[in-house]
Amino acid sequence: PTFSTSCARCSKNRRLRQKRVISERKLTRYFVDHRKVRVVGGQGGGGGHSFYSEPRKIFGGPDGGNGGDGGHVILKADRQMKSLSSVLPFYQGFHGEKGGSKNCYGANGAYMYVKVGTLVKEDGKVVADLTQHGEEYVAAYGGAGGKGNRFFLSNENRAPTLFTPGEPGQERVLHLELKTTAHAGLVGFPNAGKSSLLRAISNAKPAVAAYPFTTLNPHVGVVRYQDYEQVAVADIPGLIKGAHQNRGLGMAFLRHIERCRFLLYVVDLSVSQPWIQLQDLKYELEQYKKGLSERPCVVIGNKIDLAQSRINLPLLQEQTDERVIALSALTGDNLEELFLHLRELYDAYVKTEQSLGQSPVKW
Protein backbone atom coordinates (compact mmCIF):
# COMPACT_ATOMS: atom_id res chain seq x y z
CA PRO A 1 0.00 0.00 0.00
CA THR A 2 1.10 3.54 -0.70
CA PHE A 3 2.23 5.67 2.21
CA SER A 4 0.22 8.80 2.91
CA THR A 5 1.15 11.49 5.41
CA SER A 6 -2.49 12.54 5.66
CA CYS A 7 -3.61 9.08 6.76
CA ALA A 8 -4.65 9.10 10.42
CA ARG A 9 -3.25 5.64 11.08
CA CYS A 10 0.13 6.46 9.48
CA SER A 11 0.46 9.81 11.22
CA LYS A 12 -0.33 8.24 14.57
CA ASN A 13 2.62 5.87 14.30
CA ARG A 14 5.04 8.64 13.44
CA ARG A 15 7.04 10.01 16.37
CA LEU A 16 9.32 12.99 16.56
CA ARG A 17 12.90 12.05 17.24
CA GLN A 18 13.96 13.56 20.55
CA LYS A 19 17.52 14.40 21.43
CA ARG A 20 19.03 11.66 23.54
CA VAL A 21 20.08 12.68 27.03
CA ILE A 22 23.83 12.26 27.49
CA SER A 23 25.03 11.08 30.87
CA GLU A 24 27.76 12.87 32.80
CA ARG A 25 30.38 10.21 32.11
CA LYS A 26 29.63 10.16 28.40
CA LEU A 27 29.68 13.95 28.33
CA THR A 28 33.33 13.95 29.41
CA ARG A 29 34.24 12.47 26.04
CA TYR A 30 32.78 15.52 24.31
CA PHE A 31 34.19 18.10 26.72
CA VAL A 32 37.71 19.03 25.65
CA ASP A 33 39.61 21.88 27.32
CA HIS A 34 43.00 21.18 25.71
CA ARG A 35 43.79 20.92 22.04
CA LYS A 36 47.01 20.77 20.04
CA VAL A 37 46.50 22.44 16.67
CA ARG A 38 48.81 22.66 13.67
CA VAL A 39 48.08 25.72 11.54
CA VAL A 40 49.55 26.46 8.11
CA GLY A 41 48.96 29.64 6.14
CA GLY A 42 47.87 29.47 2.54
CA GLN A 43 50.51 29.40 -0.15
CA GLY A 44 50.89 32.41 -2.41
CA GLY A 45 50.01 32.11 -6.07
CA GLY A 46 52.77 31.97 -8.65
CA GLY A 47 53.54 34.89 -10.93
CA GLY A 48 52.25 34.93 -14.49
CA HIS A 49 54.52 34.48 -17.54
CA SER A 50 53.13 35.81 -20.78
CA PHE A 51 53.76 38.38 -23.52
CA TYR A 52 51.19 40.67 -24.99
CA SER A 53 50.43 39.96 -28.65
CA GLU A 54 47.74 41.07 -31.07
CA PRO A 55 47.46 41.72 -34.82
CA ARG A 56 49.90 44.40 -36.04
CA LYS A 57 51.47 44.49 -32.58
CA ILE A 58 53.37 41.27 -32.22
CA PHE A 59 55.97 42.41 -29.66
CA GLY A 60 53.75 44.00 -27.05
CA GLY A 61 56.04 43.27 -24.12
CA PRO A 62 55.56 41.21 -20.97
CA ASP A 63 52.14 41.25 -19.31
CA GLY A 64 52.30 38.48 -16.69
CA GLY A 65 50.59 39.64 -13.47
CA ASN A 66 51.57 38.93 -9.88
CA GLY A 67 50.09 36.03 -7.92
CA GLY A 68 47.68 36.50 -5.05
CA ASP A 69 48.69 36.25 -1.40
CA GLY A 70 47.79 33.18 0.62
CA GLY A 71 45.04 33.40 3.20
CA HIS A 72 45.72 33.70 6.93
CA VAL A 73 44.48 31.31 9.61
CA ILE A 74 42.79 33.49 12.26
CA LEU A 75 41.61 32.45 15.72
CA LYS A 76 38.46 34.34 16.68
CA ALA A 77 37.04 34.45 20.19
CA ASP A 78 33.47 33.22 20.44
CA ARG A 79 31.53 33.45 23.69
CA GLN A 80 29.40 30.44 22.78
CA MET A 81 32.35 28.05 22.65
CA LYS A 82 32.00 25.88 25.76
CA SER A 83 34.28 23.07 24.57
CA LEU A 84 37.15 22.51 22.13
CA SER A 85 35.73 19.24 20.86
CA SER A 86 34.76 20.84 17.53
CA VAL A 87 38.27 22.25 16.93
CA LEU A 88 40.18 20.17 14.39
CA PRO A 89 43.86 19.24 14.87
CA PHE A 90 44.91 20.81 11.54
CA TYR A 91 43.95 23.97 9.67
CA GLN A 92 45.37 25.37 6.45
CA GLY A 93 44.57 28.69 4.82
CA PHE A 94 43.31 29.01 1.27
CA HIS A 95 45.92 29.35 -1.47
CA GLY A 96 46.29 32.43 -3.65
CA GLU A 97 45.56 32.21 -7.35
CA LYS A 98 48.18 32.38 -10.06
CA GLY A 99 48.76 35.61 -11.95
CA GLY A 100 47.27 35.80 -15.42
CA SER A 101 48.00 37.48 -18.71
CA LYS A 102 47.14 41.08 -19.57
CA ASN A 103 48.60 42.19 -16.20
CA CYS A 104 45.85 40.41 -14.30
CA TYR A 105 46.71 39.84 -10.65
CA GLY A 106 45.73 36.59 -8.98
CA ALA A 107 43.05 36.71 -6.28
CA ASN A 108 44.15 36.56 -2.66
CA GLY A 109 43.28 33.47 -0.66
CA ALA A 110 40.32 33.81 1.69
CA TYR A 111 40.93 33.97 5.43
CA MET A 112 40.11 30.89 7.48
CA TYR A 113 38.47 31.70 10.82
CA VAL A 114 38.55 29.24 13.71
CA LYS A 115 36.08 30.00 16.51
CA VAL A 116 37.69 29.58 19.91
CA GLY A 117 37.68 31.31 23.28
CA THR A 118 40.92 30.18 24.72
CA LEU A 119 44.43 30.83 25.88
CA VAL A 120 46.91 30.31 23.02
CA LYS A 121 50.36 28.95 23.85
CA GLU A 122 53.41 28.15 21.74
CA ASP A 123 56.36 26.24 23.21
CA GLY A 124 54.95 26.80 26.69
CA LYS A 125 54.70 30.59 26.29
CA VAL A 126 51.43 32.52 26.12
CA VAL A 127 51.14 34.28 22.76
CA ALA A 128 47.47 35.36 22.95
CA ASP A 129 44.64 35.51 25.45
CA LEU A 130 41.30 35.64 23.66
CA THR A 131 38.84 36.76 26.32
CA GLN A 132 36.70 39.43 24.64
CA HIS A 133 33.99 38.30 22.23
CA GLY A 134 35.08 38.87 18.61
CA GLU A 135 38.76 39.30 19.45
CA GLU A 136 41.07 37.95 16.73
CA TYR A 137 44.59 36.58 16.57
CA VAL A 138 46.47 35.67 13.38
CA ALA A 139 47.73 32.18 14.06
CA ALA A 140 49.50 31.69 10.71
CA TYR A 141 50.20 34.25 7.99
CA GLY A 142 49.71 33.34 4.36
CA GLY A 143 52.60 33.39 1.95
CA ALA A 144 53.23 36.31 -0.40
CA GLY A 145 52.30 35.93 -4.03
CA GLY A 146 54.95 35.49 -6.69
CA LYS A 147 56.01 38.19 -9.16
CA GLY A 148 55.05 38.00 -12.81
CA ASN A 149 57.49 38.73 -15.63
CA ARG A 150 55.94 42.20 -16.00
CA PHE A 151 57.49 43.08 -12.62
CA PHE A 152 61.02 42.51 -13.98
CA LEU A 153 60.63 44.84 -16.98
CA SER A 154 63.43 47.42 -17.16
CA ASN A 155 65.35 49.45 -19.73
CA GLU A 156 68.11 46.85 -19.74
CA ASN A 157 65.71 43.90 -20.07
CA ARG A 158 62.80 44.67 -22.37
CA ALA A 159 61.62 41.03 -22.64
CA PRO A 160 62.05 39.41 -19.21
CA THR A 161 61.24 35.73 -18.90
CA LEU A 162 61.82 35.60 -15.16
CA PHE A 163 58.89 35.01 -12.80
CA THR A 164 58.83 33.80 -9.21
CA PRO A 165 56.60 31.21 -7.49
CA GLY A 166 54.49 32.00 -4.47
CA GLU A 167 55.95 31.72 -0.98
CA PRO A 168 54.71 29.02 1.40
CA GLY A 169 52.54 30.03 4.34
CA GLN A 170 53.67 30.21 7.94
CA GLU A 171 53.49 26.95 9.87
CA ARG A 172 53.05 26.76 13.64
CA VAL A 173 52.01 24.27 16.31
CA LEU A 174 49.80 25.89 18.96
CA HIS A 175 48.29 24.66 22.19
CA LEU A 176 44.77 25.89 22.95
CA GLU A 177 43.63 25.97 26.56
CA LEU A 178 40.00 26.57 27.44
CA LYS A 179 39.01 28.49 30.54
CA THR A 180 35.42 28.97 31.64
CA THR A 181 34.39 32.62 31.46
CA ALA A 182 31.59 32.71 34.04
CA HIS A 183 30.96 35.54 36.49
CA ALA A 184 30.83 33.37 39.61
CA GLY A 185 32.43 30.04 40.41
CA LEU A 186 31.13 27.43 42.84
CA VAL A 187 34.15 26.13 44.75
CA GLY A 188 33.91 23.30 47.23
CA PHE A 189 34.85 19.77 48.17
CA PRO A 190 33.10 16.75 46.64
CA ASN A 191 29.52 16.14 47.83
CA ALA A 192 29.22 19.68 49.21
CA GLY A 193 26.11 20.26 47.08
CA LYS A 194 27.47 22.47 44.28
CA SER A 195 25.59 20.71 41.50
CA SER A 196 22.36 20.67 43.50
CA LEU A 197 22.72 24.38 44.19
CA LEU A 198 23.29 25.15 40.50
CA ARG A 199 20.16 23.17 39.59
CA ALA A 200 18.19 25.14 42.20
CA ILE A 201 19.20 28.64 41.03
CA SER A 202 19.36 28.09 37.24
CA ASN A 203 18.11 25.89 34.42
CA ALA A 204 21.37 23.91 34.23
CA LYS A 205 21.03 20.18 34.80
CA PRO A 206 24.33 18.76 36.05
CA ALA A 207 24.36 15.21 37.33
CA VAL A 208 23.59 14.75 41.03
CA ALA A 209 24.40 11.60 43.00
CA ALA A 210 25.41 10.46 46.48
CA TYR A 211 29.01 9.63 45.54
CA PRO A 212 32.02 11.98 45.17
CA PHE A 213 33.24 13.39 41.86
CA THR A 214 29.80 13.31 40.29
CA THR A 215 30.68 16.40 38.24
CA LEU A 216 33.54 15.62 35.89
CA ASN A 217 33.48 18.81 33.82
CA PRO A 218 32.36 22.39 34.46
CA HIS A 219 28.72 23.33 33.98
CA VAL A 220 27.52 26.89 33.52
CA GLY A 221 24.09 28.01 34.67
CA VAL A 222 22.55 31.44 34.11
CA VAL A 223 20.70 33.27 36.88
CA ARG A 224 18.14 35.66 35.37
CA TYR A 225 16.75 38.77 37.10
CA GLN A 226 13.65 40.84 36.43
CA ASP A 227 15.64 43.68 34.82
CA TYR A 228 16.96 41.16 32.23
CA GLU A 229 20.45 41.03 33.73
CA GLN A 230 22.04 37.58 33.60
CA VAL A 231 24.73 36.25 35.92
CA ALA A 232 26.64 33.15 34.82
CA VAL A 233 27.56 30.69 37.59
CA ALA A 234 30.03 27.86 36.91
CA ASP A 235 29.96 24.56 38.76
CA ILE A 236 33.64 23.63 39.14
CA PRO A 237 34.35 19.92 39.84
CA GLY A 238 35.15 19.15 43.46
CA LEU A 239 38.59 19.90 44.85
CA ILE A 240 40.52 17.87 47.41
CA LYS A 241 43.59 18.48 49.54
CA GLY A 242 46.65 18.68 47.31
CA ALA A 243 44.70 19.74 44.23
CA HIS A 244 47.42 22.30 43.41
CA GLN A 245 49.81 19.33 43.22
CA ASN A 246 47.55 17.75 40.58
CA ARG A 247 45.86 15.35 42.98
CA GLY A 248 42.32 14.22 42.22
CA LEU A 249 41.03 16.19 39.26
CA GLY A 250 43.70 18.69 40.28
CA MET A 251 44.94 21.43 38.00
CA ALA A 252 42.82 20.20 35.12
CA PHE A 253 39.96 22.30 36.49
CA LEU A 254 41.66 24.75 38.84
CA ARG A 255 42.42 26.94 35.84
CA HIS A 256 38.69 27.38 35.18
CA ILE A 257 38.43 29.35 38.44
CA GLU A 258 40.90 31.97 37.12
CA ARG A 259 38.24 33.47 34.82
CA CYS A 260 35.62 33.83 37.55
CA ARG A 261 35.17 37.40 38.80
CA PHE A 262 33.94 36.36 42.24
CA LEU A 263 33.80 33.05 44.11
CA LEU A 264 31.07 31.18 45.99
CA TYR A 265 32.57 28.83 48.57
CA VAL A 266 30.12 25.97 49.16
CA VAL A 267 30.63 24.33 52.57
CA ASP A 268 28.81 21.29 53.93
CA LEU A 269 27.46 22.38 57.32
CA SER A 270 26.61 18.83 58.38
CA VAL A 271 30.26 17.75 58.74
CA SER A 272 32.30 18.39 61.85
CA GLN A 273 34.29 21.65 61.82
CA PRO A 274 33.10 22.99 58.43
CA TRP A 275 35.42 25.99 58.73
CA ILE A 276 38.34 23.61 58.10
CA GLN A 277 36.92 23.03 54.60
CA LEU A 278 36.92 26.76 53.96
CA GLN A 279 40.53 27.12 55.07
CA ASP A 280 41.62 24.21 52.91
CA LEU A 281 39.83 25.60 49.85
CA LYS A 282 41.48 28.99 50.21
CA TYR A 283 44.86 27.36 50.71
CA GLU A 284 44.53 25.31 47.51
CA LEU A 285 43.51 28.37 45.48
CA GLU A 286 46.35 30.47 46.90
CA GLN A 287 48.92 27.76 46.18
CA TYR A 288 47.69 27.46 42.61
CA LYS A 289 47.75 31.20 41.92
CA LYS A 290 48.69 33.94 44.31
CA GLY A 291 45.82 36.34 45.04
CA LEU A 292 43.13 33.99 43.75
CA SER A 293 41.66 33.46 47.22
CA GLU A 294 41.43 37.23 47.79
CA ARG A 295 38.76 37.81 45.15
CA PRO A 296 35.28 38.94 46.25
CA CYS A 297 33.50 35.97 47.70
CA VAL A 298 30.71 34.69 49.90
CA VAL A 299 30.53 31.52 52.01
CA ILE A 300 27.49 29.33 51.36
CA GLY A 301 26.60 26.94 54.16
CA ASN A 302 24.64 24.19 52.46
CA LYS A 303 22.35 21.51 53.96
CA ILE A 304 20.86 23.78 56.63
CA ASP A 305 17.83 21.48 56.70
CA LEU A 306 19.84 18.97 58.78
CA ALA A 307 19.94 19.20 62.57
CA GLN A 308 23.74 19.08 62.84
CA SER A 309 24.01 21.95 60.35
CA ARG A 310 22.05 24.30 62.64
CA ILE A 311 24.54 23.57 65.42
CA ASN A 312 27.61 24.20 63.24
CA LEU A 313 26.29 27.42 61.65
CA PRO A 314 27.11 29.84 64.53
CA LEU A 315 30.51 28.16 64.96
CA LEU A 316 31.29 28.75 61.27
CA GLN A 317 30.26 32.40 61.52
CA GLU A 318 32.66 32.89 64.42
CA GLN A 319 35.60 31.33 62.56
CA THR A 320 35.32 33.37 59.33
CA ASP A 321 35.20 37.05 58.48
CA GLU A 322 33.27 36.60 55.22
CA ARG A 323 29.53 36.71 54.96
CA VAL A 324 27.90 33.31 55.50
CA ILE A 325 24.63 32.47 53.77
CA ALA A 326 22.94 29.37 55.19
CA LEU A 327 20.62 27.61 52.76
CA SER A 328 19.42 24.27 51.53
CA ALA A 329 19.74 23.42 47.86
CA LEU A 330 17.44 20.44 48.38
CA THR A 331 14.48 22.21 49.94
CA GLY A 332 15.15 25.72 48.57
CA ASP A 333 15.37 27.40 51.98
CA ASN A 334 16.90 30.91 51.97
CA LEU A 335 17.74 30.97 48.26
CA GLU A 336 16.43 34.55 48.08
CA GLU A 337 19.32 35.84 50.18
CA LEU A 338 21.77 34.19 47.78
CA PHE A 339 20.05 35.77 44.76
CA LEU A 340 20.27 39.25 46.32
CA HIS A 341 23.90 38.95 47.38
CA LEU A 342 24.87 37.45 44.02
CA ARG A 343 23.40 40.50 42.31
CA GLU A 344 25.36 42.78 44.67
CA LEU A 345 28.60 41.07 43.71
CA TYR A 346 27.72 41.34 40.02
CA ASP A 347 26.85 45.04 40.24
CA ALA A 348 30.12 45.73 42.06
CA TYR A 349 32.01 43.91 39.31
CA VAL A 350 30.25 45.89 36.56
CA LYS A 351 30.93 49.18 38.32
CA THR A 352 34.62 48.33 38.74
CA GLU A 353 35.04 47.40 35.08
CA GLN A 354 33.31 50.55 33.88
CA SER A 355 35.46 52.73 36.13
CA LEU A 356 38.56 51.20 34.55
CA GLY A 357 37.23 51.93 31.06
CA GLN A 358 36.66 48.26 30.25
CA SER A 359 33.50 46.55 29.10
CA PRO A 360 32.15 43.94 31.57
CA VAL A 361 31.48 40.42 30.37
CA LYS A 362 27.82 40.00 29.47
CA TRP A 363 26.25 36.58 29.21
Side-chain angles (χ1 to χ4, degrees):
T2 59
F3 178 78
S4 175
T5 57
S6 60
C7 176
R9 184 175 58 183
C10 296
S11 61
K12 183 178 180 180
N13 294 330
R14 299 180 64 188
R15 295 292 183 269
L16 295 177
R17 293 183 178 179
Q18 296 181 355
K19 187 176 180 180
R20 185 178 59 181
V21 179
I22 302 177
S23 64
E24 180 72 19
R25 290 190 177 275
K26 292 183 179 180
L27 189 62
T28 57
R29 298 183 301 176
Y30 303 99
F31 180 81
V32 179
D33 56 357
H34 267 88
R35 180 70 83 184
K36 182 180 179 181
V37 180
R38 178 169 165 258
V39 289
V40 180
Q43 184 174 0
H49 175 263
S50 63
F51 289 89
Y52 184 72
S53 179
E54 66 177 6
R56 295 183 299 275
K57 193 175 183 181
I58 302 177
F59 303 102
D63 65 347
N66 299 335
D69 298 332
H72 307 328
V73 179
I74 301 177
L75 304 180
K76 188 173 183 180
D78 190 352
R79 189 181 303 165
Q80 302 300 325
M81 291 295 294
K82 302 299 187 300
S83 174
L84 298 180
S85 58
S86 61
V87 177
L88 302 179
F90 175 73
Y91 288 96
Q92 184 172 19
F94 295 95
H95 301 316
E97 295 185 1
K98 183 180 179 181
S101 58
K102 298 182 180 179
N103 297 324
C104 292
Y105 282 39
N108 295 331
Y111 294 164
M112 174 171 288
Y113 288 92
V114 183
K115 292 184 178 181
V116 295
T118 59
L119 199 67
V120 184
K121 294 183 178 180
E122 184 179 17
D123 297 332
K125 298 181 180 179
V126 179
V127 296
D129 190 1
L130 305 177
T131 56
Q132 300 295 330
H133 182 72
E135 189 176 0
E136 297 180 0
Y137 171 73
V138 181
Y141 288 93
K147 304 297 182 182
N149 61 340
R150 171 72 181 182
F151 178 82
F152 299 98
L153 178 64
S154 63
N155 292 332
E156 291 78 13
N157 188 4
R158 304 304 300 173
T161 59
L162 178 64
F163 63 97
T164 59
E167 297 181 0
Q170 184 184 14
E171 181 175 354
R172 302 172 68 185
V173 177
L174 303 176
H175 294 267
L176 306 182
E177 182 178 317
L178 178 66
K179 293 184 179 180
T180 306
T181 58
H183 298 116
L186 295 174
V187 184
F189 282 94
N191 279 3
K194 301 183 299 299
S195 300
S196 300
L197 181 60
L198 187 65
R199 294 170 67 101
I201 64 177
S202 68
N203 290 329
K205 301 299 180 184
V208 176
Y211 54 85
F213 297 109
T214 309
T215 302
L216 299 178
N217 57 80
H219 291 269
V220 179
V222 179
V223 181
R224 295 176 173 84
Y225 291 89
Q226 293 182 354
D227 57 352
Y228 303 104
E229 284 288 351
Q230 298 181 352
V231 180
V233 181
D235 177 17
I236 308 299
L239 305 178
I240 63 174
K241 292 183 179 180
H244 68 280
Q245 299 175 352
N246 211 19
R247 294 180 182 176
L249 298 179
M251 299 176 62
F253 295 105
L254 269 174
R255 62 176 174 271
H256 292 282
I257 308 177
E258 294 183 45
R259 300 291 189 186
C260 298
R261 274 60 183 183
F262 40 90
L263 305 178
L264 307 179
Y265 295 102
V266 182
V267 178
D268 186 359
L269 288 177
S270 62
V271 300
S272 60
Q273 297 181 346
W275 53 89
I276 301 298
Q277 291 188 2
L278 181 61
Q279 296 174 3
D280 293 339
L281 289 173
K282 291 186 176 181
Y283 175 77
E284 294 298 330
L285 296 182
E286 193 66 25
Q287 291 298 317
Y288 174 73
K289 184 178 180 181
K290 189 175 181 180
L292 187 58
S293 62
E294 299 177 359
R295 294 188 179 180
C297 64
V298 63
V299 180
I300 300 176
N302 195 15
K303 305 180 183 181
I304 194 60
D305 53 312
L306 302 179
Q308 186 62 32
S309 299
R310 301 188 186 95
I311 300 175
N312 293 333
L313 177 59
L315 301 178
L316 175 62
Q317 294 174 342
E318 294 177 359
Q319 296 291 334
T320 180
D321 297 332
E322 287 82 7
R323 181 176 179 178
V324 179
I325 300 178
L327 53 83
S328 175
L330 179 63
T331 62
D333 294 341
N334 205 24
L335 288 179
E336 294 80 5
E337 185 179 357
L338 176 60
F339 285 128
L340 295 176
H341 189 67
L342 186 63
R343 182 58 188 271
E344 293 177 3
L345 293 174
Y346 175 76
D347 293 339
Y349 155 71
V350 172
K351 186 177 180 180
T352 303
E353 292 292 318
Q354 292 177 350
S355 63
L356 296 177
Q358 302 177 0
S359 58
V361 177
K362 295 290 186 179
W363 199 265

